[in-house]
């Protein structure tokens, strides 16, 4: 069997996660890693060579699908359309509001080049989106809820780190249990931001810093914390490393709805993720969609695709017969 | 907008559920109901006419998708291939072991006639199957678990009713909480039949019947109860009607898996359904897949399809742009 040759652009947490995920898939192999940093002396966990991004186009013939492992703020809006002109690509673009314009730019590039470009793959957007779509298509009269956490929010942790006197910080987003219970009981609550999530912060302060002031700065920060019930714990650098070194995340998508001649029957559809490593799980989703991109391209399909456009069978290494026998 | 015209064959619980579901979908309308019983005097909730099944082929031009609402034991193995020669069809065939041969028969008929035939649509097989496939494609190294309940098992209720001295009965299948907790804690338990589910029976005995003997008969029944921890409650006919008149069901699909260079990170994917009405929810799933069947047929696709073969976007009444803006 010819294995699907995967390239990785960007060797941060997500890129390393893809490297691990590819090793778990027998029908794939990692061809090379590309970086914008100086590759000399860079070592991959799998021993696969690291090249400078300038060499990427020259290695076109060695790569079936290129995984774009950069960030949504500045990397992907530029990279995905640019590389879709040369490769089948997969990205995890997650700036929800900008998806329509990202889709349009990538679709144009991919169609012109005859490539398949999967965008916004991961868990939200990604698996959560899929569950919103399926649940909405099934329960036509109902309410949608998405909760995030318990997990580390990188953006909120960064916001705390920018406060003077803060050496390091981790912020956990946590769903409010009573809100979840109300949703599951089909009470159709209308929930404010404050009622859905709490925020818990673990902060390492500089020596001599004014902790009371820091706590007030955090709790009053608009958009990030002011709209939430926020708890702040000051801990040592050692405690932060020991107890908060991981990148866990997760969350829940729920839809409740009614059926019956009088709407007398309630139904709850719930999808949840509990992830020890947010980037490694995201990488696993990207990898499954790399398989789909490759297979769809073999059928002559081109253009930009999201998880909504991919028949589930494309994701599995099993044959259709095996799937029907073992998974259906 | 031309609405999708739905026909229903079989007006039991599932057929009635489809009638309700179609009313919740603005892009669909119910054309007619067909029955093998005498239609004279039969009344539908929506006022749509009921015809004898003999008239079905004559109404070909009035129906875009035919919903086959019969049973998997004897109706669907015959009906689905037969009607796929004349209509786009959707069925809920759920005899897992016979899906491969059902697929082959239906595929041949549908391809010959240029029709789309969706089989094994519902929640298991159906939504549960989808979640098994997605989770397996993402977490390549892991374990799968499916739990059913809490809910009414029709087959087990029937089995109790066949015992002499039993007037009526309902049987609930219930997941064992400690087993579920172990799965969620990523302990990868190997669970026996007894460790996964318990069975709770509510029995109305004939006057003067030997209740001790009935209880022993139930608990020792091979395949149905002997392999489970079973509880039997004797209640009155009135209590049965009052407290156990519904057809609730549901269940959970979980996959736990490991990632990381040393497999050091655990992940839990969990999908759960809590349904007040098993047939009405199943009907909602069938209805969403009727939309998909219709749209796929418009693109020239033919043959037998399962939920694995259907790109999620086909299920939603939204346009691709709306979906990307609101659900992704």
């Amino acid at each position: 069997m010819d294995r699907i040759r995967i390239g990785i652009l960007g060797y941060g947490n997500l890129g390393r996660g893809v490297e691990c995920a590819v090793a778990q898939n027998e029908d794939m192999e990692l061809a090379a890693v590309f970086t914008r940093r100086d590759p000399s002396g860079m070592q991959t966990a799998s021993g696969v060579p690291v090249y400078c991004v300038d060499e990427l186009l020259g290695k076109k013939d060695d790569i079936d699908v290129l995984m774009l492992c950069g960030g949504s703020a500045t990397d992907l809006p530029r990279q995905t359309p640019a590389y879709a002109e040369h490769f089948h690509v997969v990205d995890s673009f997650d700036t929800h509001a900008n998806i329509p314009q990202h889709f349009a730019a990538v679709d144009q590039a991919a169609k012109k080049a005859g490539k398949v470009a999967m965008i916004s793959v991961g868990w939200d957007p990604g698996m959560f989106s899929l569950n919103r779509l399926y649940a909405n298509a099934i329960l036509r009269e109902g309410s949608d809820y998405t909760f995030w956490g318990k997990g580390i929010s990188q953006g909120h942790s960064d916001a705390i780190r920018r406060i003077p006197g803060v050496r390091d910080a981790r912020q956990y987003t946590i769903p409010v249990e009573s809100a979840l219970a109300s949703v599951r009981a089909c009470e159709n609550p209308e929930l404010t931001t404050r009622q859905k999530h709490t925020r818990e912060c673990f902060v390492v302060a500089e020596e001599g810093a004014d902790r009371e002031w820091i706590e007030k700065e955090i709790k009053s920060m608009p958009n990030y914390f002011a709209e939430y019930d926020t708890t702040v714990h000051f801990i040592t650098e050692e405690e932060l490393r020991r107890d908060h070194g991981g990148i866990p995340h997760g969350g829940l998508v729920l839809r409740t709805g009614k059926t019956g001649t009088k709407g007398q029957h309630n139904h709850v559809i719930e999808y949840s993720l509990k992830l020890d490593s947010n980037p490694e799980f995201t990488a696993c989703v990207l990898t499954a969609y790399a398989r789909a991109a490759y297979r769809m391209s073999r059928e002559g399909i081109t253009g930009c695709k999201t998880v909504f456009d991919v028949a589930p069978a494309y994701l599995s290494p099993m044959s259709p017969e095996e799937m029907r026998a073992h998974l259906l």
Side-chain angles (χ1 to χ4, degrees), chain A residues 69-319:
Chain A
C69 298
S72 295
T74 56
D75 299 335
L76 300 176
R78 209 172 33 74
Q79 286 177 351
T80 313
Y83 289 110
E85 289 185 16
H86 305 281
F87 297 92
H88 306 304
V89 297
V90 182
D91 85 14
S92 64
F93 185 78
D94 66 358
T95 312
H96 286 259
N98 297 339
I99 287 174
Q101 78 190 68
H102 188 58
F103 183 93
V106 174
D107 194 47
Q108 194 180 21
K111 279 208 178 114
K112 211 173 99 188
K115 302 294 181 187
V116 173
M118 299 269 175
I119 63 158
S120 302
V121 175
W123 59 273
D124 195 4
M127 299 312 296
F128 275 17
S129 323
L130 276 178
N131 277 279
R132 284 187 284 263
L133 189 152
Y134 278 118
N136 271 272
I138 294 167
L139 293 178
R140 298 295 299 139
E141 296 177 8
S143 309
D144 292 299
Y145 299 90
T146 300
F147 291 85
W148 294 278
K150 182 180 178 173
I152 292 277
S153 162
Q154 212 57 60
H156 287 75
S157 302
D158 289 344
I160 299 172
R161 282 189 211 105
R162 285 191 295 264
I163 296 173
V166 171
R167 182 178 298 174
D168 206 349
R170 294 287 184 284
Q171 192 271 176
Y172 293 89
T173 304
I174 305 170
V176 174
E177 276 301 324
S178 58
L180 253 177
S182 172
V183 170
R184 287 178 178 141
C186 296
E187 294 168 357
N188 299 317
E190 297 211 7
L191 299 165
T192 62
T193 299
R194 190 178 297 277
Q195 287 169 326
K196 286 185 71 184
H197 297 95
T198 55
R199 299 199 175 276
E200 189 169 20
C201 313
F202 294 87
V203 180
V204 181
E206 304 279 5
E207 243 185 77
D210 182 343
R211 294 182 173 200
E212 243 175 81
W213 180 83
I214 290 174
E215 181 165 344
K216 229 184 81 190
E217 280 296 291
I218 294 172
K219 290 186 173 178
S220 61
M221 200 184 294
N223 302 317
Y224 283 86
F225 294 100
E227 296 75 13
Y228 298 85
D229 289 333
T230 301
T231 322
V232 177
H233 309 277
F234 287 94
I235 59 172
T236 65
E237 199 148 12
E238 197 205 322
E239 286 170 325
L240 189 87
R241 243 195 327 267
R242 189 192 63 203
D243 302 333
H244 307 284
I247 320 175
H249 219 315
L252 308 99
V253 172
L254 298 108
R255 185 167 171 88
T256 57
K258 291 180 181 305
T259 65
T261 45
K262 302 180 196 86
Q264 70 273 40
H265 293 133
N266 284 309
H267 306 277
V268 184
I269 304 176
E270 177 171 339
Y271 180 78
S272 81
L273 296 174
K274 255 189 334 195
L275 314 174
D276 274 0
S277 168
N278 182 352
E280 287 177 7
F281 185 84
T282 301
C284 288
V285 184
L286 291 183
T287 305
Y289 279 91
R291 177 181 292 117
Y294 179 75
R295 290 181 175 175
M296 289 167 79
S297 75
R298 288 289 186 101
E299 295 182 6
I301 294 167
T302 66
C304 186
K305 306 290 169 193
T306 74
V307 293
F308 297 156
D309 306 309
V310 178
Y314 285 115
L315 301 169
S316 171
M318 288 186 188
S319 72

Side-chain angles (χ1 to χ4, degrees), chain A residues 8 11 14-23 30 33 44-48:
Chain A
I8 293 174
Y11 198 56
L14 185 59
R16 283 168 220 272
V18 170
E19 182 180 21
C20 283
V22 167
L30 187 58
V33 170
T44 56
S46 58
V48 158

